[in-house]
Amino acid sequence: MRKKIEIFSNQEIKNLFGSRDENIRLIEDAFDVQISSKADGIHLTSNKKRALDRAVDFLVGLLGIIRQGKELNKQDVAVYISDFKRSGNITSNYSQLNKDVPTKSVGPKTKGQYEYVEAIKKYDIVFGIGPAGTGKTYLAMAMAVEALKNGRVRRIILTRPAIEAGESLGYLPGTFVEKISPYLRPLYDALYDMMDAARIEKYLEIGIIEVAPLAYMRGRTLNDAFIILDEAQNCSAEQMKMFLTRLGFDSKAVITGDITQSDLPGGKPTGLLQAKELLSSIDGIKFIYFSYEDVVRHPLVQQIIEAYEKTV
């Protein structure tokens, strides 16, 4: 069986197929079809009618996104495939953040991520709880940078507990900053995706952006700030209470964590679980829960997380 989809330009084909045809190979594997481009359009073949029909519907939706000016990459296509298989359509109305970052299209790509971004806009304290790869920290960072650029806050504070992930690093050499750097590296990685490196260095030097271990939040009151607590599953109950009571006027806090990956003794994310139990009914605090369907990493990561969830 064969079907054809009309194409308006060679640029559409280039965008749809992706670098070295990596986008189209993902689609072929996902829908069990063969896809080729010819002068008169895109041709799809399959010996399964339902697979062929679904692939056509998906490609038509994807072309609609391309015709709105979206540049697709392999990650985008993987997310759209997951979205389509779950709901039968492609969600394309998610907003883009940090539009002035030329190399990045940063914005929510799944329903869960969209709800998370909207919650950060509306609430002063937001908890993002879910597995790795769902964009919890990355999107929070994007919202923090946007708030700083738009003048809604005067500084960004990034923090996380300095706990080793299941292996001892021993006595690290170097200065204090060099010793804690490995723990804070994921926050720096996300930050450098959002802003120009020279500006980041300047902001770090004058304190507009601060990256520090959680222990250094004690005794402070944080006004006019966007504060991100990452890896909150590694907070004790006392640390979580300490952090939440640092919030000052005109500030916003986002707490992210994965309750399945605690590195605390005994493996129990006590601070995060206690906060969930005690604070979920308070107005002004919002809990957003992600699932494997919100993962925007390699497609296999979704399947890995789903497999592990079944053993819990």
Side-chain angles (χ1 to χ4, degrees):
M1 290 174 280
R2 182 185 298 270
K3 288 197 174 185
K4 185 186 78 171
I5 300 174
E6 184 178 358
I7 292 292
F8 294 164
S9 69
N10 288 333
Q11 184 59 39
E12 286 186 355
I13 294 177
K14 182 179 178 181
N15 195 351
L16 180 64
F17 275 62
S19 175
R20 299 186 297 276
D21 294 345
E22 60 183 10
N23 293 350
I24 219 67
R25 284 198 296 270
L26 269 182
I27 298 168
E28 288 179 327
D29 291 342
F31 294 97
D32 194 17
V33 297
Q34 292 77 50
I35 304 172
S36 61
S37 64
K38 298 184 179 180
D40 61 341
I42 295 176
H43 290 254
L44 299 87
T45 58
S46 176
N47 56 8
K48 302 174 183 177
K49 184 179 185 303
R50 174 167 170 74
L52 192 61
D53 290 341
R54 282 172 58 79
V56 168
D57 289 344
F58 178 77
L59 283 173
V60 168
L62 210 56
L63 284 167
I65 293 173
I66 290 172
R67 287 163 185 166
Q68 294 174 16
K70 169 73 173 178
E71 291 287 334
L72 296 179
N73 58 38
K74 187 177 179 180
Q75 185 184 78
D76 294 327
V77 173
V79 171
Y80 287 135
I81 288 172
S82 176
D83 205 14
F84 183 85
K85 287 189 171 183
R86 183 173 66 249
S87 63
N89 54 57
I90 298 175
T91 306
S92 61
N93 60 343
Y94 297 145
S95 60
Q96 181 181 337
L97 305 172
N98 291 326
K99 297 181 178 65
D100 56 343
V101 181
T103 59
K104 288 287 178 180
S105 177
V106 182
K109 296 181 178 180
T110 70
K111 184 174 183 294
Q113 290 184 348
Y114 178 76
E115 292 175 351
Y116 181 56
V117 166
E118 292 301 306
I120 293 173
K121 292 177 182 177
K122 182 177 179 181
Y123 294 88
D124 287 338
I125 298 178
V126 175
F127 285 80
I129 300 174
T134 50
K136 304 182 298 295
T137 304
Y138 204 80
L139 287 172
M141 189 73 74
M143 294 295 287
V145 171
E146 186 175 59
L148 181 64
K149 289 179 177 178
N150 292 338
R152 293 195 296 272
V153 297
R154 291 190 295 108
R155 55 183 172 155
I156 297 172
I157 298 173
L158 314 171
T159 185
R160 65 187 315 202
I163 294 182
E164 298 164 357
E167 56 182 312
S168 177
L169 299 178
Y171 292 97
L172 294 172
T175 65
F176 169 74
V177 172
E178 290 169 337
K179 288 177 186 293
I180 67 170
S181 182
Y183 299 103
L184 304 174
R185 189 72 257 170
L187 295 175
Y188 281 110
D189 289 343
L191 183 59
Y192 276 89
D193 271 353
M194 307 294 169
M195 297 180 70
D196 175 78
R199 182 178 298 180
I200 292 172
E201 298 301 328
K202 177 182 176 182
Y203 283 177
L204 286 169
E205 182 180 349
I206 63 179
I208 292 177
I209 296 176
E210 178 182 348
V211 184
L214 180 60
Y216 279 66
M217 297 298 106
R218 188 175 299 278
R220 303 177 62 182
T221 300
L222 305 174
N223 296 315
D224 296 310
F226 196 117
I227 314 142
I228 299 173
L229 170 58
D230 192 32
E231 299 289 341
Q233 75 274 5
N234 290 329
C235 291
S236 67
E238 294 78 12
Q239 286 176 318
M240 181 63 74
K241 178 182 177 183
M242 179 272 291
F243 173 80
L244 292 172
T245 54
R246 301 306 94 203
L247 193 69
F249 292 105
D250 299 315
S251 288
K252 188 179 292 285
V254 179
I255 301 95
T256 71
D258 178 359
I259 58 176
T260 69
Q261 294 194 30
S262 174
D263 298 309
L264 290 171
K268 295 182 180 180
T270 53
L272 188 56
L273 288 178
Q274 186 185 68
K276 176 183 171 184
E277 293 169 1
L278 296 178
L279 308 178
S280 57
S281 62
I282 296 179
D283 291 338
I285 299 178
K286 183 68 173 179
F287 285 78
I288 299 293
Y289 299 96
F290 296 91
S291 73
Y292 69 91
E293 294 175 338
D294 296 302
V295 171
V296 292
R297 290 181 180 171
H298 191 288
L300 283 176
V301 176
Q302 287 190 345
Q303 299 176 47
I304 291 168
I305 293 170
E306 185 178 10
Y308 273 98
E309 284 181 348
K310 290 177 180 177
T311 66
V312 177

